[in-house]
Amino acid sequence: MAVPPSAPQPRASFHLRRHTPCPQCSWGMEEKAAASAGCREPPGPPRAAAVAYFGISVDPDDILPGALSLIQELRPHWKPEQVRTKRFTDGITNKLVACYVEEDMQDCVLVRVYGERTELLVDRENEVRNFQLLRAHGCAPRLYCTFQNGLCYEYMQGVALGPEHIREPRLFRLIALEMAKIHTIHANGSLPKPTLWHKMHNYFTLVKNEINPSLSADVPKVEVLERELAWLKEHLSQLESPVVFCHNDLLCKNIIYDSIKGMAFLAPGHCGFFHHARDELVVLGWQLEGYGGAGRNQSHPIPTCVWPASPSGVNEVDYCLYPARETQLQWLHYYLQAQKGMAVTPREVERLYVQVNKFALASHFFWALWALIQNQYSTIHFDFLRYAVIRFNQYFKVKPQVSALEMPK
């Protein structure tokens, strides 16, 4: 669907108010110990109340009966015979169905059923807390409830974007502004350690201990992966990439454009605190959210998260779609200007460009490991092994040129 040509121009860059960090707001595994010291409520939106929980388990192979049971709890005034449903098939981690009664889907409940063994990949308690944190800052839909193997949340009106959309100058800039907004959530002061390396280590351990015997000949040997992971951590840790709250799964389809409000939203996915640059190049929801380096997204780290490499996200990966240097610099300029609220220098933009492209290596490695685990356990029809091989191949292809990039003096 083409973006309406009448879409309003985004406003001029603005200053994003920063919030005092709170140890309990990071909710990463490595950060929980810090909470014992206590913390005060940060300025800004109040913390969300506890979300409702229903002891219902939805059959992932037959979602509708369980989904309708949840709808009876959430929308008791809806007549069961009037409830309509719509399945979404783009996701390859979870299963998703929309439930509604009105044609315009104004009041629509999304029921997400977790994929098989995805608790190995996603901290579900952390996911809910991050969901509420983002909602409190106006960056996520409302979370209605959780249930035994999933959650229900608000449907966001708009168009799920494709690569042809995010190249539009108007949307290009709107996405940069939204990313800058998310990256300023609790992004000032003493932050917890980024969770990227903890997650990567956990994924690698799973691959090494549980999946290694069944690895394809096209996948690098475990010994090679172990060396590369150590090199990545050493190389990227020297970049001094800021730690921010990242989306970490910025597929085009996870970016929703509302043409009426002239706004872009980021659909729930894999949020959390990571290095600032990580969000930028994760091309490939709010599940893996966490603190990360701004340079790494998306899979989902900063702006690179929206660089398209495939028409629908991951199905037909085409790295010829990866944006040229000048395009990246323009995006990064919009992003930094929105974050700082003032003019930025070419050196600042160039510095972020180097961080982002180096952290793209972590993105390739991260999602390749993820795909190997999904290939072993997921019941979703998708060639995860092929995808893992594509990401590993791209990692080794671009590693020499990316690792040679130098920070501007």
Side-chain angles (χ1 to χ4, degrees), residues 67-342:
L68 292 176
S69 295
L70 289 163
I71 293 302
Q72 289 179 346
E73 298 285 351
L74 296 171
R75 298 290 187 271
H77 57 286
W78 287 2
K79 295 180 180 179
E81 65 274 12
Q82 294 180 339
V83 177
R84 304 181 185 185
T85 59
K86 177 182 179 181
R87 288 284 300 273
F88 294 93
T89 58
D90 288 327
I92 56 173
T93 302
N94 309 293
K95 295 183 178 180
L96 189 67
V97 62
C99 300
Y100 58 100
V101 293
E102 298 179 3
E103 191 70 35
D104 59 8
M105 298 177 70
Q106 283 297 322
D107 184 15
C108 176
V109 177
L110 292 176
V111 180
R112 178 202 286 172
V113 180
Y114 300 145
E116 187 73 19
R117 301 293 299 276
T118 51
E119 70 278 1
L120 296 173
L121 303 166
V122 180
D123 181 336
R124 295 302 181 182
E125 291 185 8
N126 195 42
E127 174 185 23
V128 171
R129 287 188 289 259
N130 284 328
F131 208 127
Q132 292 176 293
L133 173 64
L134 287 160
R135 173 61 185 173
H137 287 269
C139 299
R142 283 176 289 180
L143 179 61
Y144 295 131
C145 75
T146 63
F147 51 96
Q148 287 184 14
N149 60 330
L151 48 80
C152 299
Y153 58 97
E154 178 185 16
Y155 173 79
M156 294 185 294
Q157 297 287 340
V159 177
L161 301 186
E164 70 279 11
H165 297 141
I166 63 175
R167 294 177 185 273
E168 288 267 344
R170 290 178 293 241
L171 298 183
F172 187 77
R173 189 174 180 186
L174 281 173
I175 296 166
L177 301 186
E178 185 70 9
M179 284 299 301
K181 179 181 178 181
I182 289 174
H183 284 175
T184 56
I185 294 177
H186 300 271
N188 187 33
S190 177
L191 287 172
K193 293 172 62 178
T195 57
L196 171 62
W197 305 118
H198 181 78
K199 285 181 177 292
M200 291 261 270
H201 176 75
N202 285 348
Y203 286 12
F204 172 74
T205 300
L206 276 171
V207 169
K208 180 179 180 180
N209 296 338
E210 298 189 27
I211 303 173
N212 186 21
S214 60
L215 285 180
S216 163
D218 294 325
V219 175
K221 299 293 184 183
V222 167
E223 295 77 15
V224 174
L225 297 181
E226 190 164 24
R227 288 198 302 270
E228 289 300 322
L229 182 55
W231 177 86
L232 263 179
K233 184 174 182 180
E234 179 181 4
H235 186 73
L236 299 184
S237 296
Q238 298 173 10
L239 296 178
E240 299 180 348
S241 177
V243 174
V244 298
F245 194 80
C246 298
H247 183 281
N248 299 325
D249 193 18
L250 280 183
L251 291 164
C252 296
K253 295 295 184 181
N254 277 342
I255 304 173
I256 311 300
Y257 175 67
D258 186 332
S259 61
I260 297 176
K261 297 180 180 179
M263 298 175 65
F265 302 94
L266 306 182
H270 303 288
C271 319
F273 289 93
F274 283 85
H275 288 290
H276 184 281
R278 178 170 182 254
D279 243 347
E280 318 264 330
L281 289 169
V282 182
V283 185
L284 294 182
W286 293 100
Q287 298 162 196
L288 298 176
E289 56 272 82
Y291 280 99
R296 170 202 173 219
N297 188 13
Q298 50 248 73
S299 249
H300 266 122
I302 305 179
T304 18
C305 19
V306 296
W307 302 156
S310 65
S312 61
V314 293
N315 287 322
E316 297 298 330
V317 180
D318 180 4
Y319 283 104
C320 291
L321 294 174
Y322 200 82
R325 170 185 163 85
E326 290 307 314
T327 302
Q328 294 188 46
L329 292 176
Q330 183 183 15
W331 201 103
L332 296 170
H333 178 86
Y334 287 147
Y335 169 89
L336 283 175
Q337 193 170 34
Q339 189 181 60
K340 294 183 64 177
M342 63 182 71

